[in-house]
Amino acid sequence: MAFRKAVKRTAIVGGGAVATVFGLSQLIEYRKKQARLAHVAAEAQLKAPFADELPSRQGQLTRLKETEFDVLVVGGGATGAGCALDAATRNLKTALVERSDFSSGTSSRSTKLIHGGVRYLQKAIMKLDYEQYMMVKEALHERANLLEIAPHLSAPLPIMLPVYKWWQLPYYWAGIKMYDLVAGIQCLKSSYMLSKTKALELFPMLKKDKLVGAIVYYDGQHNDARMNLAIALTAARYGAAMANYTEVVHLLKKKDPQTGADKVCGACCRDVLTGEEFDVKAKCVINATGPFTDSVRKMDNQESANICQPSAGVHIVIPGYYSPDNMGLLDPATSDGRVIFFLPWEKMTIAGTTDTPTSVTAHPIPGEDDINFILSEVRNYLSPDVEVRRGDVLAAWSGIRPLVTDPNSKDTQSICRNHIVSLSNSGLVTIAGGKWTTYRSMAEETLDAAVKAHTLPAETCKTVGLMLEGAKGWTPTLYIRLVQDYGLEQEVAQHLASTYGGKAYDVAKMALVTGQRWPIVGKRLVSEFPYIEAEVLYAIKEYACTAIDVIARRTRLGFLNVQAADEALPRIVHIMAKELGWSQERKTAELEAAKKFLYHEMGYRSRSEQLTKTSEMNLDNQEVARYKKRFHKFDKESKGFITTVDVQQVLESINVHIDENALHEILNEVDVNKNGQIEIGEFLQLMSAVKKGHVSDSRLAILMKSAEETLDKRGPVTVDRSGGGV
């Protein structure tokens, strides 16, 4: 009965009498206006002690040592940061500790969607599952809220569902329309159907054979790591003591004077950067550690059964030309029954995800089988004219989804489809499972449970409509002011506006003069991405402590192109070292750690594997002879290898000049042995990999081919980065 009432109520608001009188769009705008007025009134009552300037990390650590808190949150992902923000805005003394960086785990490795879950709604309808229906409805409500409170970091995204069988067209159309219906007035934009011709016009790289049409619906998309950081920084603004690189060694307990039972009363923590240990006292401890839920539960009670069943989801990033600028693609039924999204993101294309059982680790590595599975599914939906090459993978990563079983359920083996909040005998509150989109409602439910269990002096939840860091002062035309007032490049200004929102002005003020006619300020870290050096300095103000923090979570360079991130690292480390006073040993350690991160966790290792995983070469005799001839134009002394000196001499002979460091980077991409030279065998292996599509647009291959063709003509050679893959 409740299910029918909910649907009926949504139907009336979504397209019935009320919508007829006012018009649906007018009704939506009216409701949004009323909500905004309520939000302004609510925010006016809140105190933000650090609205003007955030305390330093050291200042936060001092507060952790000297204050007895109402709530201590363990875990700095989306859920943990959401709990801290909820608690702080309820006027509770709040602390949060994270053993790595904010959003260093699953929260930065998502599909970047803010969505209700089309496939969950399908299951709810097919199985008449009210719980799944309510889960989708809640997620759609939270989707609307998140788009409202962080408009600079999120936006609606149209997603196309191509249809290749006539009977599927009404089936999928009905399902997507139900998705709109459940969203009600919070529907972003109404879904619509496309003919084959129109679908190909909007998504020209789509496979047209047997295509009968398509359906387009809307969900939200965001910059997940920056969104997580915005939540954490907002919590800090409202007074929460937030400390990254602070791990829990063990939980503190004391006897309850009434029952004599041990009760959790805080945690012994360690500053990961210095090794110092100290106690953080709190009336309530919340475990929001995602995949590491069980490790904290076992600190409380060693006999606790595991409730987390981790699943790995791999994503890949390929060049932006694989998808339209503003249209995603949904593959609703892959070859093994999973769902694959194919989405434009940060001017690149992201594809994923897989779903395979895994073990819990802080450093998940994308597997080659998963990468190739995603590429295979992408090929199934793209035109045969588009060659989907393994070498076009610019970055790849794996995130661990913390699926959980309900410890209070009789069937402890069954996976909980939503999230769970549990309370241990000693008072430890655990929030586990769930999804990115519902982080806020999960936090609200968790704090409600904590307040009730520990009788905390809390006010009601105030996070619905509470604007996040950077939202205040943001407008869609903010970037124009940045260009006009500071002399930034338009692309850089657009990036700063969409990353920092109203705080973009603070970043622009830190940008140094370039010494060029244009842009006046804002020196890029790498030429093909809009990240500038000032962002490294600003990242430190946002609690970035390592070079990895900068390339992975303050900027997203490591997630977009690992080669570009690798090239930017020396400059990033230099800027951070100067600002933070690092020793030479620390600088070396930072470089090595960041390179290891890119190599293992971001898919850089795959490039070397593509060159060395097989000794077989698919070059015929004529190709081998042609490539050997090309190689010997550079190896004039027949040494059997070439170095930067050899390449430089050939280029100078045709009036081409390349910076020595840039040339070293070009050769280093191919130098498998890392001995500073390219041997004839390595070169032939490279050309074989290029032919197979395992390596795309190698800069060395293009450079040598161009130089060979122009040796007699003495013409210019183009050596701009091609975007080559990993």
Side-chain angles (χ1 to χ4, degrees):
M1 188 65 173
F3 177 84
R4 275 188 244 124
K5 283 184 178 179
V7 174
K8 184 178 179 182
R9 193 161 53 242
T10 305
I12 291 174
V13 174
V18 177
T20 303
V21 175
F22 293 103
L24 181 57
S25 60
Q26 290 92 334
L27 176 63
I28 292 173
E29 286 305 314
Y30 172 76
R31 291 286 180 87
K32 284 184 176 180
K33 184 178 180 180
Q34 292 297 106
R36 279 194 291 269
L37 290 173
H39 301 161
V40 170
E43 284 192 56
Q45 299 173 3
L46 291 173
K47 295 179 181 178
F50 303 108
D52 296 328
E53 186 174 358
L54 289 167
S56 65
R57 179 176 179 274
Q58 190 56 49
Q60 298 283 41
L61 290 173
T62 300
R63 293 175 63 207
L64 287 176
K65 299 170 189 175
E66 297 177 353
T67 308
E68 181 173 357
F69 296 94
D70 294 315
V71 174
L72 169 62
V73 181
V74 182
T79 305
C83 287
L85 178 58
D86 190 293
T89 52
R90 292 192 194 209
N91 207 25
L92 293 173
K93 292 180 181 178
T94 306
L96 179 147
V97 293
E98 161 59 48
R99 73 174 180 180
S100 185
D101 185 28
F102 304 118
S103 196
S104 58
T106 307
S107 295
S108 63
R109 305 175 190 226
S110 72
T111 312
K112 323 304 179 194
L113 284 178
I114 311 169
H115 62 135
V118 174
R119 69 181 185 274
Y120 295 125
L121 182 60
Q122 179 191 29
K123 291 178 182 177
I125 295 171
M126 298 298 289
K127 298 181 180 180
L128 298 177
D129 190 329
Y130 179 68
E131 182 186 345
Q132 290 225 43
Y133 165 78
M134 290 307 297
M135 182 176 71
V136 174
K137 190 170 179 62
E138 177 190 47
L140 289 171
H141 173 268
E142 293 300 323
R143 178 188 71 177
N145 181 69
L146 196 49
L147 289 167
E148 180 78 16
I149 65 177
H152 57 303
L153 291 170
S154 59
L157 176 71
I159 300 175
M160 181 183 292
L161 197 164
V163 181
Y164 288 89
K165 295 178 182 177
W166 280 108
W167 68 266
Q168 290 180 333
L169 210 52
Y171 172 75
Y172 285 135
W173 182 84
I176 294 299
K177 278 301 173 186
M178 179 62 74
Y179 193 60
D180 290 349
L181 190 66
V182 174
I185 63 166
Q186 293 169 329
C187 178
L188 301 181
K189 291 184 181 180
S190 183
S191 59
Y192 55 91
M193 194 180 297
L194 294 173
S195 65
K196 175 179 179 179
T197 302
K198 190 64 177 177
L200 291 172
E201 182 181 321
L202 292 175
F203 210 120
M205 54 285 293
L206 198 61
K207 183 176 72 175
K208 57 179 130 180
D209 186 35
K210 297 182 180 179
L211 180 70
V212 297
I215 299 165
V216 175
Y217 73 99
Y218 287 80
D219 256 325
Q221 187 179 51
H222 69 154
N223 185 336
D224 53 4
R226 291 295 315 184
M227 185 72 81
N228 192 157
L229 185 64
I231 300 166
L233 294 177
T234 306
R237 298 275 184 200
Y238 283 105
M242 313 284 288
N244 53 353
Y245 293 99
T246 306
E247 68 175 336
V248 171
V249 180
H250 60 82
L251 298 176
L252 302 177
K253 291 187 177 182
K254 65 179 180 181
K255 295 286 185 183
D256 186 312
Q258 295 181 335
T259 64
D262 287 335
K263 294 293 182 181
V264 174
C265 62
C268 173
C269 297
R270 177 189 296 121
D271 183 343
V272 174
L273 302 180
T274 65
E276 178 189 5
E277 292 191 7
F278 54 90
D279 290 345
V280 180
K281 297 178 181 178
K283 297 173 185 176
C284 170
V285 175
I286 295 175
N287 171 18
T289 52
F292 300 93
T293 294
D294 289 324
S295 62
V296 177
R297 293 179 75 246
K298 288 182 184 297
M299 287 184 186
D300 175 39
N301 180 4
Q302 192 61 41
E303 302 302 316
S304 295
N306 289 342
I307 63 171
C308 184
Q309 298 192 16
S311 174
V314 171
H315 294 82
I316 63 172
V317 169
I318 50 183
Y321 55 70
Y322 273 100
S323 65
D325 291 338
N326 192 37
M327 178 70 74
L329 184 74
L330 168 63
D331 178 356
T334 63
S335 56
D336 64 352
R338 291 182 282 194
V339 171
I340 289 285
F341 285 99
F342 189 65
L343 311 166
W345 183 66
E346 298 289 321
K347 298 189 176 179
M348 295 294 179
T349 301
I350 181 174
T353 179
T354 59
D355 185 8
T356 52
T358 186
S359 57
V360 176
T361 173
H363 307 287
I365 298 172
E368 189 64 27
D369 289 344
D370 286 326
I371 293 173
N372 285 322
F373 166 78
I374 295 172
L375 288 172
S376 176
E377 293 302 320
V378 169
R379 289 188 189 100
N380 290 339
Y381 272 86
L382 295 189
S383 167
D385 296 338
V386 180
E387 183 183 359
V388 181
R389 302 175 295 187
R390 173 60 183 82
D392 282 335
V393 178
L394 304 173
W397 68 84
S398 176
I400 299 178
R401 185 185 178 198
L403 302 174
V404 291
T405 56
D406 188 346
N408 300 317
S409 172
K410 293 181 181 179
D411 181 11
T412 57
Q413 297 301 311
S414 62
I415 296 291
C416 181
R417 289 162 294 191
N418 206 335
H419 60 273
I420 60 166
V421 176
S422 67
L423 179 70
S424 74
N425 293 332
S426 62
L428 176 69
V429 178
T430 294
I431 169 66
K435 52 195 292 189
W436 224 120
T437 307
T438 56
Y439 84 90
R440 193 214 61 80
S441 60
M442 290 164 59
E444 180 181 357
E445 185 179 333
T446 303
L447 263 295
D448 286 344
V451 168
K452 182 179 179 181
H454 295 274
T455 321
L456 300 176
E459 299 174 5
T460 57
C461 177
K462 295 183 176 66
T463 53
V464 174
L466 184 69
M467 305 304 275
L468 298 183
E469 178 88 350
K472 185 178 180 181
W474 177 86
T475 66
T477 57
L478 170 63
Y479 75 94
I480 297 175
R481 288 286 307 277
L482 293 173
V483 173
Q484 293 176 337
D485 294 354
Y486 295 94
L488 290 161
E489 291 178 79
Q490 180 176 324
E491 185 186 14
V492 170
Q494 288 172 326
H495 153 68
L496 294 181
S498 64
T499 301
Y500 304 96
K503 298 293 182 182
Y505 292 109
D506 296 337
V507 183
K509 290 173 185 175
M510 301 173 76
L512 297 178
V513 175
T514 63
Q516 301 173 351
R517 183 183 63 80
W518 189 263
I520 298 172
V521 300
K523 185 176 181 182
R524 296 192 182 210
L525 289 168
V526 284
S527 60
E528 69 270 40
F529 287 93
Y531 301 113
I532 59 174
E533 293 182 352
E535 292 181 78
V536 181
L537 295 172
Y538 194 77
I540 296 172
K541 293 180 177 291
E542 294 181 321
Y543 303 119
C545 299
T546 70
I548 296 175
D549 298 343
V550 175
I551 62 173
R553 293 172 286 274
R554 302 312 182 279
T555 73
R556 306 311 306 275
L557 196 51
F559 280 78
L560 293 170
N561 190 316
V562 291
Q563 284 183 230
D566 186 57
E567 290 176 18
L569 271 176
R571 186 61 188 156
I572 290 171
V573 170
H574 174 78
I575 295 170
M576 295 186 77
K578 187 176 180 180
E579 185 72 11
L580 297 173
W582 287 348
S583 65
Q584 184 58 47
E585 289 76 14
R586 175 67 188 273
K587 289 168 66 176
T588 302
E590 284 291 329
L591 269 174
E592 290 178 354
K595 286 179 177 291
K596 183 178 179 181
F597 168 79
L598 293 174
Y599 185 77
H600 291 287
E601 296 184 51
M602 291 292 112
Y604 207 177
R605 177 183 66 171
S606 302
R607 181 174 181 82
S608 295
E609 289 180 346
Q610 297 310 308
L611 291 171
T612 61
K613 69 179 182 180
T614 174
S615 59
E616 295 181 6
M617 289 190 291
N618 65 334
L619 302 177
D620 58 36
N621 292 336
Q622 288 183 335
E623 289 171 326
V624 170
R626 184 167 76 250
Y627 294 139
K628 281 185 176 180
K629 179 182 177 183
R630 182 178 302 168
F631 186 85
H632 288 307
K633 287 184 181 294
F634 292 80
D635 180 23
K636 296 180 179 179
E637 299 176 4
S638 299
K639 303 184 299 294
F641 63 86
I642 58 175
T643 65
T644 54
V645 175
D646 298 315
V647 178
Q648 195 76 274
Q649 287 176 349
V650 173
L651 295 179
E652 287 178 356
S653 72
I654 56 175
N655 285 332
V656 173
H657 302 281
I658 299 180
D659 177 74
E660 185 177 345
N661 291 331
L663 191 58
H664 175 75
E665 290 170 358
I666 291 172
L667 265 68
N668 192 52
E669 293 172 4
V670 183
D671 182 11
V672 176
N673 301 327
K674 301 305 178 187
N675 58 1
Q677 58 193 35
I678 306 299
E679 296 157 9
I680 181 66
E682 288 178 315
F683 180 68
L684 293 175
Q685 192 70 46
L686 166 66
M687 300 314 298
S688 176
V690 169
K691 180 180 178 181
K692 293 176 184 176
H694 293 164
V695 173
S696 67
D697 301 334
S698 162
R699 288 194 285 175
L700 180 65
I702 293 173
L703 179 67
M704 293 179 69
K705 179 183 179 182
S706 300
E708 180 186 45
E709 292 174 348
T710 57
L711 269 173
D712 296 328
K713 300 176 183 178
R714 300 295 190 265
V717 181
T718 301
V719 291
D720 293 338
R721 165 180 286 283
S722 61
V726 298

